Amino acid sequence: MARAALTTDAVVDVALLIIDEKGPAALTLSAVAGRAGVATPSLYKHVRNLAELRSLVSARIMNEIADQVGEAVLGRSADEAIRAVMMAWRHYALRHPHRYSALIQTPEPRTVEAGARLINILLATFRAYGMADSAAIHAARCLRAAVHGFAVLETEGAFGLPEKLDESYDLLIHMMITGLHAPH
């Protein structure tokens, strides 16, 4: 990569390549600089430190998830939309397990905007169930916990029994949808 082509977005692109290949633990400023073909101090024009880079990477990942989930729900509502959300989220985690594990789960300034996009998609989806305000936030938390928990366990190989994971996930989706139909 030519020095003139190095931008903050390009640094994040390189960081994601490293994460995809070797996992989040391999992300260092030195690794990014080496992969970009620059000296480590050259990165400081684009990121303050490794923490900022991790934050930028996390925001990009959250935006990718929001993009895929948003695309999946287009033209769908209620049960169909919930199924689409849950499938798109899981598929992202399965396609990009290292990226997904690099996602910062706690709210922090750079991921808040991307996270808000995802939350707004969920809140809009819950309107079909007559949910708004606090009820929709509680439902969003439950859906996030269900999808995230399953995705993390699956990508880490934690499901060792022979039953098919797709069948378990279909049951999880069914349970989520059934719960959304229950009186609130």
Side-chain angles (χ1 to χ4, degrees):
M1 176 176 299
R3 190 172 276 158
L6 196 62
T7 64
T8 302
D9 279 343
V11 171
V12 172
D13 291 342
V14 171
L16 286 169
L17 289 173
I18 292 167
I19 289 169
D20 286 342
E21 291 173 5
K22 299 179 182 176
L27 181 61
T28 64
L29 291 177
S30 176
V32 171
R35 186 73 175 259
V38 300
T40 303
S42 297
L43 295 180
Y44 294 115
K45 296 174 187 168
H46 308 286
V47 295
R48 283 191 309 266
N49 52 36
L50 183 58
E52 182 181 44
L53 179 56
R54 288 186 192 282
S55 177
L56 291 166
V57 162
S58 189
R60 173 84 65 86
I61 295 165
M62 183 63 77
N63 272 309
E64 289 174 353
I65 294 168
D67 288 346
Q68 289 188 14
V69 167
E71 203 173 289
V73 300
L74 283 178
R76 294 180 167 89
S77 66
D79 298 356
E80 241 184 72
I82 293 299
R83 175 173 288 285
V85 165
M86 293 179 73
M87 293 301 289
W89 199 326
R90 178 184 180 216
H91 287 149
Y92 182 89
L94 291 176
R95 276 192 311 277
H96 306 288
H98 291 311
R99 281 185 193 203
Y100 194 74
S101 67
L103 186 61
I104 298 169
Q105 295 297 327
T106 56
E108 60 92 42
R110 285 189 176 80
T111 58
V112 166
E113 184 178 326
R117 288 183 55 225
L118 185 55
I119 290 294
N120 287 332
I121 292 165
L122 296 178
L123 297 180
T125 302
F126 294 139
R127 279 190 222 117
Y129 300 94
M131 292 182 169
D133 306 321
S134 290
I137 296 295
H138 293 307
R141 287 176 177 163
C142 291
L143 188 138
R144 177 184 177 204
V147 174
H148 176 71
F150 196 97
V152 168
L153 290 168
E154 185 174 12
T155 59
E156 291 182 3
F159 293 124
L161 298 175
E163 284 73 18
K164 294 181 180 176
L165 292 177
D166 287 344
E167 290 176 13
S168 296
Y169 201 70
D170 283 342
L171 177 59
L172 181 63
I173 292 170
H174 173 74
M175 292 169 76
M176 190 73 209
I177 289 170
T178 301
L180 290 170
H181 284 286
H184 317 110

